[in-house]
Amino acid sequence: MITEKEVLHYIGKQPRHIAGFKQIVHDLALKGPQRRQLDDLLRDMTRRRKLVAIGKERWSLPSAVSSRDLVTGRLRMHRDGYGFVIPDPDSLPARAQGKLAGDIFIPPPAIGSAMHGDLVLVELGQLRPDGRAEGHILRVLDRQQQRVVGKFHYGNRHNYVTPSDENLTVEIIIPPGMERSREGDEERRPSPPDRDSRAEVQSAPTPGRSRRKSRHRVLGEEVRRRSDEDLEGMVVEVEINQWPSATEQPRGRIVEILGHEDDFGVDVEIIVRKHHIRHLFPDEVLKEAQAVSPVIDGGELDGRQDYRDLAIVTIDGETARDFDDAVLVRRLAGGNYELHVHIADVAHYVEDGSAIDEEARLRGTSVYFPDRAVPMLPLELSTDICSLRPEIDRLVLSCVMNIDAQGDIRSYELGEGVIRSAERMTYTDVNAIIEGDASLRRRYGGPLAANFELMYELAQILNRKRVKRGSIDFDLPEPVIEFDDWGLMKSISPSERNWAHRLIEEFMLAANETVAGHLEQRVASLYRIHEKPAPKRIYEFETIAASFGYSLGVGALPIKRVQMRSEKRAHYGSGRRPPMLEVPEEVHVTPRMYQKLTEKIAGKPEERILSYLMLRSLKQARYSEVNEGHFALAAPVYTHFTSPIRRYPDLIVHRILKDVLREGDHLDGARALQPGESSALGQTSPSPWSKRAEKSTAKPRPMGGPISEETLHDIAESSSQTERAADDAERELLEWKKAKFMQERLGEEFAGLIVSVTKFGFFVELVDLFIEGLVPLTSLEGDLYTYRENTRQIIGDRTRKAYSIGDQVRVLVDRIDQAQHKIQFAVVEERPPATKGKRRR
């Protein structure tokens, strides 16, 4: 096994003290598992600043670069030509650690050949007293924009493509002869497919079909396009083969013609490529998936618990195609409940290091669009072999919990099993049975109907237990969007979150916490964490909530008033006092404070806006190898275990759990909890958000396990990033659909609610339509309006008319920005009623 000392010694002997991964592997004759050990070791040494990453798979000794203050980070471009680098905290030099505030500004001349989204190496300039810094990009470490989607245009000097991503500010030149894909001119012209074919972007392979008739897209029947077809305005995908410079625009060739922007399904294809979502499975992945046998032989059942005789069911939405969880509730002799949560054993079929596993790790998650999905796993696995379909034997990982009448888990058992789902249930039918629908009760028989009633009973108990500990539940209606056969929105209505949804949520939460608590005491694992809100966010929320007469109850906010040196210098000799900046300091806040406020505003007119603002004040949940608890759930320990078909972290947790179970840990998991021991899985430590826990300086002890903490860290980081990319893609497509929906409603008036106020205008959400648009400051008539930072209002100088967050306004749809798919509203001013009688002379 290669050691840290050997790596440092080897790199120290190289010219300029720089070496690459392949170079080290070759010179040290590393093979097989040693390569992965080296990769983990290099990443760990980089994290501890023993090495500095200076290129793609290239490392240097810190002493060789310390004088230049090199930082790595991700570049985010602005439409005006400058950019910001989001620095990797582990790459910051000593002088910037704890002092750098925000991102590193990159002026246009210092961008070089880098493009939006690239991983870059930056030379850090002077660090200003206020924490801001400027930098110069030395080189690009990893290109994100190797392929770009945009509109093709013919030009007088050259043909070019305008990128769909507004952050890509340069046009891509298409040299003569590069307008056609080298793979041929055959393309797919979108046509309205049937409902079944629209369910997945990745469709199952069909024997006999040519490779060009892709298994990856389902936009309809492919047709051959003529080579002389006019491409003006067509949406295309471009492969960049020459990067930009200070004097040259990037150049590329067209690799795919998607069609016109308004063609059916093209919007999804644009979003998928714009957000760099991996939508094509490599051939080796498809071959592996096709080679997996759907038949379970007798040997695979050895050592597994047999649950096939139990009335276990799946409960999902009407359009779901992959079923990775199944449930059952039984009454035990002593009056307790036995909750079964069985999860598809994806880890049995997807081996560590296989082509399917490597692709799943890169994807991180399945991405769901209104009429299709980009799955993490090939369909052979996601909708067939791993899916818990009814009346078919399926391998599972099982979590069986003994729960008392107070919702306390008295004991649990984790293990491998086999089930045969008795029924594929939907939320609608289960809720109807709970509410007493006689026909459905007859249809599903007495035992199943009674089981659903028992599920409802247990779910209420678990929900009360979770509320008691402070778990936050905003319970705001989400939009349900209906589409026609051409993918256009027909209507938007509020969703109904009934008790069928809630009982599955409660059961999955219980299983996730049980597995997390079990693994935390034994091995290094992966957790789903949600950190407490930042003081600045709490301060901003409290300021706005106070105008409505509400507060989280955090008490007096500790504020530090400071003057920046830059402001002092700017005002020196002017006779004016430099402005004071209020910086909120650490605030003690707990989930229960949020929970109490949500209960207080429930049913009030201001409920939606305050719930929206509370959500904005919270941080985004993420994955981590370090357990820091889940603030919103008020859970001391939490993980994702219940969706391995569509989330890679769940698959990792399954692998870790299976390794623990192979070590003979079944009986330990099945133990009963002792009197005085916390019912929440044996947790005796205080809540992570209590004052006692906040003062604690205890560090988590390092643990071993089947997966190193360094690898878990990398998986957590990449999975969090792919999750955010998926969320952004899903959100942007919905905004696109909404803009098209409102295009036919130009000039119509709607009631709205102001949800945000900025220096350039305010955003209004239409009541019941869940559609948001901007009212620009410049569009407000009848007065000169200005934005007031201290009150977060837009106020007229003469009339003193104010627009504030939470105000109800009436707006009309003024215009739609077709390029950015954004909606702009105009305020409809109320006119005073006309007076009767003769006019005064």
Side-chain angles (χ1 to χ4, degrees):
M1 179 177 178
I2 188 168
T3 65
E4 180 178 310
K5 184 177 180 180
E6 290 174 313
V7 171
L8 292 174
H9 178 70
Y10 174 82
I11 297 178
K13 293 192 305 180
Q14 305 309 307
R16 296 187 297 164
H17 304 305
I18 295 174
F21 179 80
K22 291 182 179 178
Q23 176 186 346
I24 301 173
V25 168
H26 178 269
D27 291 352
L28 298 183
L30 303 180
K31 297 180 180 179
Q34 291 178 314
R35 295 190 176 198
R36 177 168 289 190
Q37 292 170 5
L38 174 64
D39 183 57
D40 292 343
L41 180 60
L42 290 171
R43 293 175 187 275
D44 178 53
M45 292 174 70
T46 303
R47 199 166 296 118
R48 293 185 286 114
R49 298 287 296 172
K50 295 286 187 179
L51 294 175
V52 176
I54 62 168
K56 190 172 183 181
E57 297 191 338
R58 299 181 74 223
W59 283 265
S60 170
L61 296 180
S63 58
V65 297
S66 59
S67 61
R68 302 188 66 186
D69 285 336
L70 302 185
V71 180
T72 60
R74 193 69 66 175
L75 175 64
R76 292 288 179 263
M77 289 295 296
H78 189 274
R79 67 179 73 177
D80 291 336
Y82 58 85
F84 292 90
V85 169
I86 305 170
D88 178 0
D90 296 326
S91 72
L92 289 175
R95 72 180 180 95
Q97 291 181 9
K99 298 178 182 178
L100 179 65
D103 304 329
I104 304 169
F105 175 73
I106 311 293
I111 298 291
S113 66
M115 299 178 69
H116 174 74
D118 289 348
L119 183 66
V120 296
L121 184 68
V122 178
E123 184 173 14
L124 191 66
Q126 183 180 1
L127 191 64
R128 294 171 52 177
D130 59 2
R132 290 183 288 181
E134 188 173 307
H136 176 84
I137 293 178
L138 296 179
R139 67 174 62 92
V140 176
L141 305 180
D142 186 33
R143 295 279 184 185
Q144 186 182 64
Q145 307 293 344
Q146 295 181 8
R147 290 193 174 192
V148 174
V149 64
K151 282 187 180 180
F152 179 89
H153 297 286
Y154 293 103
N156 294 329
R157 297 177 56 193
H158 50 249
N159 301 334
Y160 61 95
V161 169
T162 304
S164 298
D165 190 340
E166 62 183 19
N167 293 307
L168 296 176
T169 57
V170 292
E171 297 168 345
I172 301 167
I173 295 175
I174 308 297
M178 295 292 184
E179 299 90 349
R180 296 290 161 184
S181 168
R182 294 177 186 174
E183 298 176 3
D185 292 325
E186 185 181 273
E187 264 297 335
R188 309 158 186 81
R189 186 182 303 279
S191 59
D194 58 65
R195 289 287 178 183
D196 292 336
S197 68
R198 287 168 50 194
E200 301 275 353
V201 169
Q202 168 70 31
S203 58
T206 303
R209 293 184 66 184
S210 69
R211 182 179 177 183
R212 189 60 187 158
K213 289 195 174 183
S214 174
R215 295 166 283 190
H216 310 283
R217 298 176 67 206
V218 285
L219 294 183
E221 290 299 320
E222 294 93 349
V223 297
R224 185 180 296 278
R225 282 190 166 137
R226 301 195 316 272
S227 60
D228 61 347
E229 186 175 0
D230 184 7
L231 293 181
E232 178 62 36
M234 285 273 196
V235 179
V236 299
E237 187 175 19
V238 179
E239 181 180 72
I240 298 177
N241 49 36
Q242 181 178 321
W243 304 103
S245 67
T247 58
E248 293 281 342
Q249 292 176 265
R251 295 172 180 265
R253 68 179 183 91
I254 294 177
V255 294
E256 189 173 17
I257 302 169
L258 301 179
H260 292 287
E261 189 176 77
D262 292 332
D263 288 343
F264 172 81
V266 171
D267 51 3
V268 177
E269 300 294 334
I270 293 173
I271 295 296
V272 164
R273 287 158 179 78
K274 178 179 174 181
H275 291 271
H276 305 284
I277 294 170
R278 297 176 65 89
H279 60 289
L280 303 177
F281 283 109
D283 287 341
E284 58 181 333
V285 173
L286 295 174
K287 288 178 183 177
E288 277 191 8
Q290 293 163 18
V292 177
S293 173
V295 180
I296 301 174
D297 61 43
E300 292 177 315
L301 300 182
D302 292 344
R304 288 181 177 266
Q305 184 72 34
D306 193 340
Y307 298 102
R308 287 176 289 185
D309 292 335
L310 301 181
I312 298 168
V313 298
T314 61
I315 305 176
D316 296 275
E318 279 79 0
T319 59
R321 295 187 66 187
D322 50 60
F323 315 116
D324 45 17
D325 57 84
V327 294
L328 168 71
V329 175
R330 297 194 295 183
R331 179 84 71 179
L332 297 176
N336 286 359
Y337 302 87
E338 185 179 74
L339 170 61
H340 288 235
V341 176
H342 302 281
I343 308 299
D345 189 358
V346 179
H348 178 82
Y349 297 100
V350 180
E351 296 182 2
D352 183 22
S354 65
I356 296 176
D357 177 56
E358 294 297 329
E359 182 67 17
R361 180 170 173 174
L362 290 172
R363 295 187 176 216
T365 181
S366 296
V367 188
Y368 295 94
F369 297 112
D371 58 353
R372 68 192 73 186
V374 183
M376 183 182 77
L377 301 174
L379 292 190
E380 290 85 352
L381 295 175
S382 62
T383 64
D384 186 11
I385 297 171
C386 294
S387 186
L388 307 182
R389 295 160 61 187
E391 301 299 333
I392 302 176
D393 290 356
R394 287 290 183 253
L395 303 182
V396 293
L397 272 181
S398 303
C399 178
V400 181
M401 294 156 277
N402 180 337
I403 305 175
D404 64 21
Q406 287 72 45
D408 295 339
I409 299 176
R410 304 314 309 170
S411 64
Y412 62 89
E413 183 176 358
L414 303 170
E416 297 173 313
V418 57
I419 69 166
R420 183 181 298 147
S421 172
E423 197 71 52
R424 180 267 198 266
M425 299 297 300
T426 66
Y427 294 121
T428 304
D429 284 352
V430 171
N431 191 65
I433 292 172
I434 290 173
E435 293 182 347
D437 187 296
S439 61
L440 284 174
R441 283 174 173 271
R442 288 192 298 271
R443 175 181 169 184
Y444 291 110
L448 271 183
N451 193 3
F452 295 136
E453 290 178 353
L454 204 57
M455 288 183 187
Y456 174 54
E457 190 176 308
L458 176 58
Q460 288 180 304
I461 292 173
L462 291 174
N463 182 258
R464 284 196 296 268
K465 173 70 184 286
R466 194 160 54 84
V467 170
K468 184 179 178 181
R469 76 183 186 195
S471 181
I472 309 168
D473 187 359
F474 292 105
D475 199 21
L476 291 174
E478 295 292 329
V480 174
I481 302 175
E482 291 188 36
F483 297 88
D484 60 20
D485 290 337
W486 290 90
L488 298 176
M489 283 175 52
K490 293 195 301 184
S491 64
I492 308 175
S493 58
S495 64
E496 179 188 0
R497 184 166 167 246
N498 55 45
W499 264 102
H501 294 90
R502 288 172 178 269
L503 65 86
I504 288 298
E505 289 174 9
E506 295 296 340
F507 296 167
M508 297 305 111
L509 289 173
N512 284 335
E513 289 186 54
T514 300
V515 171
H518 185 84
L519 295 179
E520 187 194 27
Q521 304 300 320
R522 293 162 176 81
V523 292
S525 186
L526 207 56
Y527 301 95
R528 181 68 168 180
I529 67 169
H530 187 219
E531 297 146 297
K532 75 174 189 177
K536 181 181 177 182
R537 291 286 191 177
I538 298 173
Y539 173 72
E540 291 173 349
F541 173 77
E542 285 288 87
T543 302
I544 299 173
S547 64
F548 291 89
Y550 293 98
S551 171
L552 285 170
V554 295
L557 292 170
I559 300 295
K560 180 170 64 177
R561 297 172 63 85
V562 297
Q563 282 183 342
M564 295 299 180
R565 292 182 184 177
S566 57
E567 294 290 350
K568 289 181 179 180
R569 287 195 299 268
H571 288 76
Y572 182 76
S574 66
R576 293 182 291 116
R577 179 177 296 178
M580 299 293 293
L581 183 65
E582 291 186 341
V583 181
E585 296 183 308
E586 193 64 27
V587 179
H588 174 65
V589 63
T590 66
R592 191 177 299 279
M593 292 176 180
Y594 276 83
Q595 182 200 67
K596 287 182 177 179
L597 185 53
T598 58
E599 293 172 353
K600 190 178 296 185
I601 63 176
K604 303 286 181 63
E606 57 271 18
E607 177 184 13
R608 181 160 187 81
I609 186 63
L610 285 177
S611 296
Y612 171 78
L613 293 172
M614 275 193 280
L615 278 170
R616 285 182 56 185
S617 74
L618 295 173
K619 288 188 176 181
Q620 192 171 21
R622 61 184 178 90
Y623 297 103
S624 175
E625 78 283 7
V626 179
N627 174 35
E628 297 182 30
H630 197 292
F631 183 86
L633 294 174
V637 58
Y638 190 70
T639 193
H640 273 172
F641 160 77
T642 54
S643 296
I645 289 178
R646 61 184 179 89
R647 293 189 306 229
Y648 191 72
D650 301 56
L651 176 57
I652 292 299
V653 170
H654 275 223
R655 284 186 184 145
I656 296 171
L657 178 60
K658 286 166 74 74
D659 185 82
V660 170
L661 294 175
R662 279 193 292 269
E663 296 297 322
D665 211 13
H666 296 74
L667 295 178
D668 189 56
R671 68 181 177 84
L673 302 184
Q674 300 303 313
E677 190 176 26
S678 169
S679 60
L681 317 178
Q683 297 293 325
T684 55
S685 57
S687 163
W689 307 282
S690 69
K691 289 186 177 179
R692 179 176 142 204
E694 287 175 355
K695 293 179 181 178
S696 173
T697 58
K699 301 291 184 182
R701 60 185 176 87
M703 287 189 172
I707 304 177
S708 69
E709 291 193 56
E710 292 78 16
T711 301
L712 289 172
H713 174 83
D714 292 338
I715 293 172
E717 288 289 311
S718 63
S719 297
S720 297
Q721 291 171 7
T722 53
E723 179 186 50
R724 285 192 288 271
D727 289 342
D728 290 343
E730 293 168 8
R731 189 182 307 111
E732 183 173 345
L733 182 67
L734 280 179
E735 294 305 313
W736 191 332
K737 299 280 190 184
K738 290 175 181 178
K740 287 184 178 180
F741 179 72
M742 297 304 291
Q743 182 67 47
E744 299 178 0
R745 289 156 180 79
L746 284 170
E748 293 185 21
E749 296 184 12
F750 297 91
L753 186 72
I754 297 178
V755 294
S756 179
V757 180
T758 70
K759 60 183 178 182
F760 52 82
F762 53 87
F763 288 90
V764 173
E765 183 183 88
L766 302 185
V767 177
D768 297 330
L769 282 181
F770 303 94
I771 291 177
E772 191 175 296
L774 173 68
V775 176
L777 186 69
T778 54
S779 71
L780 298 174
E781 299 178 345
D783 202 347
L784 178 62
Y785 286 88
T786 55
Y787 174 65
R788 307 297 174 85
E789 175 70 34
N790 56 339
T791 61
R792 292 177 175 80
Q793 292 178 305
I794 288 177
I795 301 177
D797 289 351
R798 178 176 51 82
T799 61
R800 312 307 297 169
K801 181 175 177 57
Y803 293 98
S804 310
I805 293 177
D807 286 353
Q808 295 184 358
V809 291
R810 192 153 189 87
V811 296
L812 62 80
V813 185
D814 190 31
R815 61 186 296 267
I816 308 292
D817 186 332
Q818 295 292 353
Q820 299 184 26
H821 309 290
K822 293 180 180 178
I823 304 167
Q824 185 171 303
F825 296 138
V827 173
V828 179
E829 297 290 347
E830 296 182 4
R831 298 180 179 177
T835 56
K836 295 182 179 180
K838 296 181 180 180
R839 283 193 306 175
R840 294 177 59 185
R841 299 192 177 203

